[in-house]
């Protein structure tokens, strides 16, 4: 390349005064009627050229008013009757002084007008001295359809529907704008809000009703075209209420189910969901008192096998000691229990690796295959009594719910209409025993009873990973020996003491806990829970009116498969419960265990979902509610 500043400096620019280049290689000394300049040296010419290009680079604000100063120098170039103005730099000042000495006559004729600083510089100087933020206008929202995994109608059709929805919303919003009532001004939407509303509705139709997308959206357009001002105003009010409720739901992780029925109507439908005795007997419930013969046979069987049991975790055979062994204080034989905390299951299939045949089960706790040595150790083995009412009754006899006449009523308390109930169990030398009992009111979730329970046998393991009860809970528990449920105790809510655990009342034995529960029940009181046969067997209670969510929401593969409470709560309620249960979790990590109160509330809300489903079903068959009663259709009985 060649130098751009010397070879063509004496050649006049072919573009003339309209040359747009800031660093043009040609000369820009045009004969425009200005006084002739004296010849100067090459260095001076280069300085002149730099001054001209510097002025040319300046961005002049169109609305800036030129201000005249007394500074002289070649910084104003008259081109086509216009004056390019720019601030004088230090370098330009030095060049001006140099040329003033050499050619004073020429410079006397050049008077300089200096423009003020550009507006952007002034704005920067202004904002740098203050913390005020400039509000920029909101960017217009586009009506392009949002990207979906499965597009139900294609981009063009979706955009057309969105445009139609937007036009309908604009019409309805215009009715609110024209309203003379000042209270209605809060329901006016901006143009961007209308567009977002149209996009939200179209996206919801496309995802939730993909198979009938066109029909649903056309019905909505017809509804909007026929909608009156009052209907649209009511819709806007409800949407604002919903937005407030959503904010409340974000603050409350367990929002109650919103049913179309009121409390009285739900109580009319609830008896239709109770399980029948043959069904309960098939599901493992104890529905009749255990005979003395069965109890004696169970006790004899335990003695005959020399108290040998099979470990519930490692499947080893071991002997249970009714009292601690004197040599080492152990409660069981055969050494420590080495096991996997998590049950073996098939891993998720990798879609990218097909044709690999059947995969073997692995334990999620350590990703080791089934049959490998355990990854966790416990000091003693533990066992569970399965499907043996006689064995359970030999430890603690069963008791039936007494009638009102049999119960000891003091007349001061009113029994709830329905009770949600859950228990937590721990391992003892008698198998799984009750260590916590919780009961809540069905519809409100109000706590009715929540106590810790001292089991009959020495504790082998609190089963904290699932029960949520830790040894520390028993240490800080408050003894209670009353015959009525103690008042609820609040957990610590201080910001600096979030780790403090709630101190619960503790009763001396399972019989006392059962008495407290029976003070809330009559034989006709619906007892609600998930898999209640385990809880009732732990309490040793026979109750005739059972509403079990396992039976209300069966597994698609049928029995003996069951849907977990965690899955149902997430699927039907949007609740995230039972976050604990991780292998190796500790009290300090606050990750281990379930919460019986949380589980009882989840089961209660699931029953409210089932009640609404049942009402919709029988309503379609002709049932109705009149005068606080459920009336069957003609020709049918309840």
């Amino acid at each position: 390349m060649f130098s751009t500043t010397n070879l063509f400096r004496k050649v006049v620019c072919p573009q003339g005064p309209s040359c747009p280049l800031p660093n043009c290689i040609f000369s820009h000394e045009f004969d425009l009627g200005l006084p002739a300049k004296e010849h100067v040296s090459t260095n001076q010419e280069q300085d002149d050229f730099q001054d001209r290009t510097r002025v040319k680079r300046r961005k002049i604000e169109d609305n800036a008013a030129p201000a005249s100063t007394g500074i002289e120098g070649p910084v104003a170039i008259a081109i086509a009757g216009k004056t390019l103005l720019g601030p004088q730099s230090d370098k330009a000042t030095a060049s001006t002084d140099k040329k003033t000495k050499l050619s004073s006559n020429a410079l006397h004729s050049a008077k300089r007008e200096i423009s003020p600083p550009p507006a952007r510089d002034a704005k920067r100087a202004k904002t740098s001295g203050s913390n005020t933020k400039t509000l920029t206008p909101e960017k217009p929202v586009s009506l392009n359809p949002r990207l979906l995994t499965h597009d139900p109608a294609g981009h063009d059709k979706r955009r057309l529907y969105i445009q139609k929805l937007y036009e309908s919303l604009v019409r309805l919003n215009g009715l609110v704008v024209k309203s003379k009532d000042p209270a209605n001004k809060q329901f006016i939407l901006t143009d961007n809000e209308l567009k977002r509303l149209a996009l939200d509705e179209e996206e919801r139709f496309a995802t939730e009703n993909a198979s009938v997308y066109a029909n649903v959206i056309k019905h909505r357009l017809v509804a909007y075209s026929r909608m009156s001002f009052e209907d649209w105003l009511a819709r806007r009010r409800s949407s604002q209420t919903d937005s407030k409720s959503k904010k409340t739901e974000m603050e409350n992780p367990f929002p109650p189910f919103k049913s179309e029925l009121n409390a009285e109507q739900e109580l009319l439908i609830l008896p239709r969901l109770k399980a029948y005795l043959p069904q309960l007997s098939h599901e493992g419930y104890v529905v009749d008192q255990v005979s003395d013969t069965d109890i004696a046979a169970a006790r004899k069987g335990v003695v005959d096998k020399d108290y040998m049991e099979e470990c519930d975790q490692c499947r080893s055979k071991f002997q249970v000691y009714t009292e601690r062994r004197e040599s080492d204080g152990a409660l069981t034989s055969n050494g420590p229990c080495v096991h996997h905390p998590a049950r073996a299951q098939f891993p998720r299939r990798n879609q990218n690796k097909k044709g690999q045949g059947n995969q073997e089960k692995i334990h999620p706790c350590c990703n080791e295959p089934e049959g490998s040595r355990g990854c966790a150790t416990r000091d003693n083995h533990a066992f569970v009594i399965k499907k043996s009412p006689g064995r359970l009754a030999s430890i603690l006899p069963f008791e039936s719910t007494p009638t009102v006449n049999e119960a000891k009523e003091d007349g001061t308390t009113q029994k709830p209409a329905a009770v949600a109930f859950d228990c937590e169990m721990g391992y003892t030398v008698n198998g799984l025993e009750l260590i916590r009992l919780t009961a809540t009111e069905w519809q409100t979730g109000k706590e009715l009873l929540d106590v810790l329970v001292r089991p009959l046998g020495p504790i082998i393991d609190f089963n904290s990973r699932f029960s949520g009860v830790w040894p520390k809970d028993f240490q800080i528990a408050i003894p209670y020996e009353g015959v009525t449920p103690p008042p609820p105790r609040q957990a610590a809510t201080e910001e600096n003491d979030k780790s403090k655990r709630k101190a619960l009342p503790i009763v001396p034995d399972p019989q006392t806990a059962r008495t407290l529960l029976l003070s809330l029940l009559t034989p006709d009181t619906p007892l609600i829970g998930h898999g209640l046969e385990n809880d009732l067997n732990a309490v040793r209670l026979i109750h005739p009116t059972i509403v079990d969510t396992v039976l209300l929401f069966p597994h698609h593969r049928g029995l003996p498969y069951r849907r977990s409470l965690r899955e149902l709560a997430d699927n039907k309620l949007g609740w995230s419960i039972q976050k604990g249960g991780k292998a190796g979790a500790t009290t300090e990590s606050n990750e281990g265990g379930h919460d019986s109160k949380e589980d009882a509330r989840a089961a209660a809300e699931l029953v409210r979902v089932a009640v609404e489903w049942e009402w919709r079903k029988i309503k379609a068959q002709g049932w109705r509610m009149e005068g606080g009663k459920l009336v069957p259709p003609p020709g049918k009985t309840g």
Side-chain angles (χ1 to χ4, degrees):
M1 292 294 290
F2 49 82
S3 175
T4 61
T5 59
N6 293 326
L7 296 181
F8 300 96
R9 68 177 182 274
K10 294 183 179 180
V11 180
V12 179
C13 180
Q15 298 292 333
S18 61
C19 177
L21 300 177
N23 293 317
C24 185
I25 63 177
F26 296 99
S27 173
H28 279 250
E29 294 184 1
F30 308 109
D31 186 10
L32 298 176
L34 294 175
K37 295 173 63 178
E38 294 183 2
H39 177 70
V40 293
S41 64
T42 304
N43 292 335
Q44 293 172 359
E45 293 176 355
Q46 291 180 357
D47 291 339
D48 292 342
F49 177 77
Q50 292 177 0
D51 291 338
R52 290 195 303 274
T53 57
R54 184 177 297 109
V55 173
K56 201 170 185 181
R57 269 190 227 119
R58 287 292 180 185
K59 179 179 179 182
I60 307 302
E61 299 293 336
D62 296 337
N63 298 328
S68 177
T69 66
I71 302 175
E72 297 179 352
V75 292
I77 301 176
I79 298 177
K82 295 183 180 180
T83 303
L84 299 178
L85 304 175
Q88 185 180 24
S89 65
D90 296 337
K91 194 169 182 180
T93 304
S95 176
T96 303
D97 294 340
K98 193 172 183 179
K99 286 185 276 185
T100 303
K101 296 178 181 178
L102 297 176
S103 180
S104 59
N105 294 332
L107 295 177
H108 277 301
S109 63
K111 293 296 182 180
R112 181 175 185 178
E113 293 182 349
I114 305 291
S115 65
R120 57 181 180 180
D121 296 335
K123 183 179 179 180
R124 186 182 297 111
K126 182 178 180 181
T127 56
S128 62
S130 63
N131 295 327
T132 58
K133 295 183 179 180
T134 304
L135 297 177
T136 57
E138 186 180 8
K139 184 179 179 181
V141 176
S142 172
L143 289 177
N144 279 325
R146 292 168 180 167
L147 183 62
L148 299 176
T149 305
H150 302 288
D151 196 322
H155 180 275
D156 294 339
K157 283 189 176 181
R158 290 183 61 199
R159 181 178 174 82
L160 176 62
Y161 288 139
I162 292 173
Q163 182 66 35
K164 295 295 184 182
L165 285 172
Y166 169 69
E167 293 173 358
S168 300
L169 295 173
V170 168
R171 182 189 71 84
L172 294 170
N173 191 59
L175 300 178
V176 184
V177 173
K178 295 177 182 179
S179 175
K180 297 180 181 181
D181 188 355
N184 295 335
K185 300 302 180 184
Q186 60 178 320
F187 303 115
I188 298 177
L189 298 176
T190 64
D191 187 65
N192 277 353
E193 289 175 337
L194 291 171
K195 290 179 179 179
R196 291 193 189 98
L197 183 57
L199 290 169
D200 291 341
E201 283 203 346
E202 189 276 337
E203 183 182 19
R204 180 164 55 87
F205 295 147
T207 53
E208 298 179 1
N209 308 99
S211 59
V212 289
Y213 166 77
N215 290 339
V216 172
I217 205 166
K218 287 176 183 177
H219 281 298
R220 178 52 57 90
L221 288 172
V222 172
Y224 278 155
S225 65
R226 298 175 180 176
M227 188 173 291
S228 63
F229 168 73
E230 291 76 14
D231 294 337
W232 173 249
L233 209 60
R235 185 182 179 89
R236 292 295 306 131
R237 289 194 184 97
S238 64
S239 65
Q240 286 193 355
T241 304
D242 291 342
S243 62
K244 292 179 181 179
S245 63
K246 286 181 180 179
K247 183 179 180 181
T248 305
E249 289 177 4
M250 293 178 64
E251 298 173 354
N252 179 18
F254 306 122
F257 172 69
K258 295 180 180 179
S259 176
E260 63 184 39
L261 302 174
N262 58 37
E264 291 76 12
Q265 292 172 337
E266 286 181 334
L267 289 173
L268 290 177
I269 304 296
L270 181 62
R272 299 180 59 87
L273 302 182
K274 72 175 184 179
Y276 296 98
L277 290 181
Q279 187 180 16
L280 293 176
S281 178
H282 181 71
E283 292 297 325
Y285 285 84
V286 178
V287 296
D288 296 314
Q289 284 289 351
V290 182
S291 64
D292 295 338
T293 304
D294 293 338
I295 295 175
R299 288 175 178 169
K300 184 176 183 301
V302 173
V303 175
D304 290 345
K305 64 179 183 180
D306 198 17
Y307 298 94
M308 294 296 295
E309 303 290 348
E310 181 181 349
C311 182
D312 187 47
Q313 296 287 347
C314 66
R315 303 304 174 189
S316 300
K317 298 292 183 179
F318 66 97
Q319 186 179 25
V320 180
Y321 305 134
T322 56
E323 297 181 359
R324 292 188 179 273
R325 190 165 54 186
E326 295 183 359
S327 59
D328 56 1
L331 291 170
T332 62
S333 65
N334 201 14
C337 175
V338 181
H339 64 283
H340 290 285
R343 185 179 302 174
Q345 55 185 297
F346 288 107
R348 292 186 177 181
R349 293 186 177 273
N350 190 341
Q351 298 296 333
N352 298 326
K353 297 180 180 180
K354 296 182 179 180
Q356 293 184 348
N358 295 329
Q359 296 180 338
E360 61 180 357
K361 290 184 177 181
I362 62 172
H363 294 276
C365 51
C366 58
N367 291 328
E368 292 296 328
E370 186 179 22
S372 61
R373 180 177 174 80
C375 59
T377 303
R378 188 170 56 195
D379 294 337
N380 296 284
H381 297 280
F383 70 100
V384 178
I385 299 174
K386 299 178 180 179
K387 297 181 179 180
S388 179
R391 177 82 182 273
L392 293 174
S394 67
I395 301 170
L396 177 65
F398 281 83
E399 182 176 346
S400 299
T401 305
T403 62
V404 177
N405 294 332
E406 295 172 344
K408 297 178 181 180
E409 290 287 344
D410 56 6
T412 59
T413 59
Q414 183 178 1
K415 297 182 183 295
V419 175
F421 160 69
D422 189 70
C423 294
E424 303 294 350
M425 282 78 78
Y427 292 107
T428 72
V429 295
N430 295 324
L432 273 178
E433 284 200 69
L434 178 69
I435 58 175
R436 182 180 177 183
L437 189 150
T438 305
T440 64
E441 204 279 328
W442 171 47
Q443 292 168 305
T444 64
K446 176 184 175 182
E447 178 183 317
L448 301 174
L449 174 65
D450 192 9
V451 293
L452 297 175
V453 183
R454 293 193 184 278
L456 297 176
I459 296 176
I460 294 176
D461 186 7
F462 279 91
N463 195 27
S464 302
R465 179 175 168 234
F466 295 105
S467 69
V469 180
W470 301 84
K472 183 179 179 181
D473 295 324
F474 269 50
Q475 296 171 7
I476 65 175
I478 303 170
Y480 183 78
E481 296 182 358
V483 294
T484 58
R489 299 184 62 85
Q490 299 295 330
T493 57
E494 294 80 0
E495 291 295 330
N496 58 354
D497 199 14
K498 288 183 178 179
S499 61
K500 186 176 180 181
R501 299 183 67 84
K502 178 180 177 181
L504 294 173
I506 185 169
V507 296
D509 49 51
Q511 297 95 315
T512 304
R514 182 173 60 190
T515 301
L516 295 177
L517 178 62
L518 288 175
S519 68
L520 304 172
L521 303 177
T522 67
D524 296 329
T525 303
L527 196 57
I528 297 168
H530 183 82
L532 277 181
E533 76 279 5
N534 298 316
D535 302 307
L536 291 176
N537 289 344
V539 183
R540 307 296 198 272
L541 179 63
I542 301 174
H543 188 73
T545 310
I546 299 296
V547 180
D548 196 335
T549 53
V550 167
L551 306 178
L552 297 179
F553 301 94
H555 196 279
H556 68 279
R557 297 176 64 181
L559 294 173
Y561 299 100
R562 295 184 173 191
R563 301 179 68 178
S564 67
L565 181 62
R566 179 176 181 175
E567 175 201 352
L568 289 172
D570 179 59
N571 185 265
K572 307 298 182 184
L573 304 173
W575 291 15
S576 180
I577 65 172
Q578 299 180 355
K579 294 182 180 179
K582 296 182 180 179
T586 63
T587 53
E588 288 76 15
S589 66
N590 200 27
E591 294 176 345
H594 302 174
D595 186 342
S596 56
K597 184 177 179 180
E598 184 180 280
D599 294 350
R601 284 191 58 204
E605 293 300 311
L606 286 171
V607 170
R608 294 186 65 216
V609 174
V611 163
E612 185 174 278
W613 288 3
E614 178 68 14
W615 165 243
R616 291 178 181 178
K617 183 180 73 174
I618 65 175
K619 183 180 179 181
Q621 297 172 356
W623 290 72
R624 66 187 188 278
M625 295 182 184
E626 290 182 359
K629 295 183 179 180
L630 192 62
V631 180
K636 287 188 178 181
T637 60

